[in-house]
Every structure is written in C-alpha cells, then in structure tokens.
Amino acid sequence: MRRVLTISAIAGAFVLLLAGPALAHGEYDHGDIAVATGFQTEPAYVGQPNAVELEISKAGTPVTDVGQGDLKVGVSFGGQSTTLTLQPNFEVGEWGTPGDYIASFIPTQPGKYTFDISGTVAGEQVKYSMTSGPDTFSEVEDPASAMFPPVDAPSNADLNTKLDAASARTDTSIASAHDAADTARTVAIVAFIVAVIAIVLAIVAWRRRGTTTA
C-alpha cells in the first residue's frame, strides 16, 4: 500500500509539472473549439524574447491546420497596438506539441498586455480579447526581481528617467550654445559697424585737414 501511495504521489506531481504552463494560460471556448491563450514563456520579463501562445483544440483533438492567414493576433499595451504573425510551433510526428501556435515579440514595458485574436479555426469564426491577470496569463515583470546574483544596475524605469534627464540637459546645452552664438554674432556685427564708422570719420577728418592745409 505504501508503494502504491508513493507511486500515485509521484504520478500526480508529474502531471502537475506537465500541466504547469497551461495553468498560466487563459481559456477561450467557442462551441467545441478551445484555445489556451498566454505568453509562451511565463513569467514574462521585459526585454526577453517571448511570444503569444495559442494551444488550439477541437473536441479535445489538437487543430494542426491553422494557416498564417487564418488567425490575426494583435497585442496592445498602454494605448499602443501591433499585429503579429502566427506560426505553428510544431511539426506533426517530428517535434513540438500539435496544436501549439506562437506569434513572437519582445515585451518592452512591465504591466498588463492584451491579446486580440480573430479569424477562422476549423471553419468556425472566433473573435476574443484577453488581458493578462491572475485568472488568465502572466503580466510582464521587470527582470530585476528574477536576477541572481543581484546586480547593482538601474531598472528600466530608472534608465528611462535618466535618459529623459540627459536628453533635457542636452537640449538645454544646445539652446544655450545657440544663444551664445547669436550673442557673439550680434557683438561682431556691432563691432564691424563701429569700425566702419570709425574709418569713415577718420577719412573725413583727414580730408578736412588736407583741405585746410591747402
């Protein structure tokens, strides 16, 4: 009995390990079509290659004939959006898991992402949006929390702040340089005019002195 319980516990743990990635995906159901939706790699981190992952099945059987033009995959974040190309992440009988499709991209900001899926699966129209969260799929995180050993490096937000500050200083310096150049140009023009006036006065004085002498 002890051996049976041990084997059962190991088998249960193995099943949980296999189910781990799917547990981090949101489920979309349309009739007998089911689409597990999420990031290919979860947790998802800023700056790390990732992908929208769709695990598509119909009546429990993987759907393996979704072409690139059958489904449109959109990603939106903070008012910005883009469209990605969906590709099979398998070769039937060769490698990968049948029914697994990905659309690759690199998330650049931490937070909630929304995946917009529309098109045709097995002759049926599907259209839905899914946003990352506790009940769907991983939000994108700053990689600093997962780094080991820790490094004394600023976060992406800190880097953006420093870049903005450096850009502002550069703009100020350029503006100051332009002002200085304009001032120098004005001074040079005034000096030239004064010099011309001085030369004219000198010529006039010389001519008057010559006339008086004659």
Side-chain angles (χ1 to χ4, degrees), residues 189-203:
I189 292 172
V190 171
F192 176 77
I193 293 173
V194 170
V196 169
I197 293 174
I199 292 172
V200 170
L201 292 176
I203 293 174

Side-chain angles (χ1 to χ4, degrees), residues 34-46:
V35 185
T37 306
F39 278 106
Q40 182 184 23
T41 302
E42 298 182 342
Y45 293 107
V46 170

Side-chain angles (χ1 to χ4, degrees), residues 136-197:
T136 53
F137 56 91
S138 169
E139 293 186 17
V140 176
E141 303 176 17
D142 191 304
S145 61
M147 290 181 177
F148 182 84
V151 293
D152 295 329
S155 66
N156 288 329
D158 292 338
L159 286 174
N160 288 334
T161 300
K162 291 181 178 180
L163 286 173
D164 290 340
S167 177
R169 287 196 297 271
T170 300
D171 291 342
T172 300
S173 298
I174 292 174
S176 298
H178 286 166
D179 292 341
D182 290 341
T183 301
R185 189 180 298 109
T186 301
V187 171
I189 292 172
V190 171
F192 176 77
I193 293 173
V194 170
V196 169
I197 293 174

Side-chain angles (χ1 to χ4, degrees), residues 25 75 109 124 180 201:
H25 283 38
V75 178
Q109 295 290 336
E124 297 188 38
L201 292 176

Side-chain angles (χ1 to χ4, degrees), residues 55-206:
E55 298 171 359
I56 306 174
S57 62
K58 181 176 182 179
T61 301
V63 176
T64 59
D65 59 352
V66 176
Q68 288 188 5
D70 293 338
L71 281 180
K72 292 183 179 179
V73 179
V75 178
S76 57
F77 174 88
Q80 302 180 71
S81 62
T82 187
T83 301
L84 306 177
T85 300
L86 189 69
Q87 297 179 330
N89 192 35
F90 63 91
E91 182 67 39
V92 177
E94 298 293 335
W95 56 272
T97 302
D100 183 27
Y101 299 84
I102 60 172
S104 300
F105 77 108
I106 300 175
T108 58
Q109 295 290 336
K112 294 179 179 292
Y113 283 68
T114 298
F115 299 159
D116 301 300
I117 314 299
S118 63
T120 305
V121 174
E124 297 188 38
Q125 292 291 325
V126 297
K127 182 178 178 63
Y128 67 95
S129 294
M130 193 175 293
T131 301
S132 55
D135 298 326
T136 53
F137 56 91
S138 169
E139 293 186 17
V140 176
E141 303 176 17
D142 191 304
S145 61
M147 290 181 177
F148 182 84
V151 293
D152 295 329
S155 66
N156 288 329
D158 292 338
L159 286 174
N160 288 334
T161 300
K162 291 181 178 180
L163 286 173
D164 290 340
S167 177
R169 287 196 297 271
T170 300
D171 291 342
T172 300
S173 298
I174 292 174
S176 298
H178 286 166
D179 292 341
D182 290 341
T183 301
R185 189 180 298 109
T186 301
V187 171
I189 292 172
V190 171
F192 176 77
I193 293 173
V194 170
V196 169
I197 293 174
I199 292 172
V200 170
L201 292 176
I203 293 174
V204 170
W206 177 75

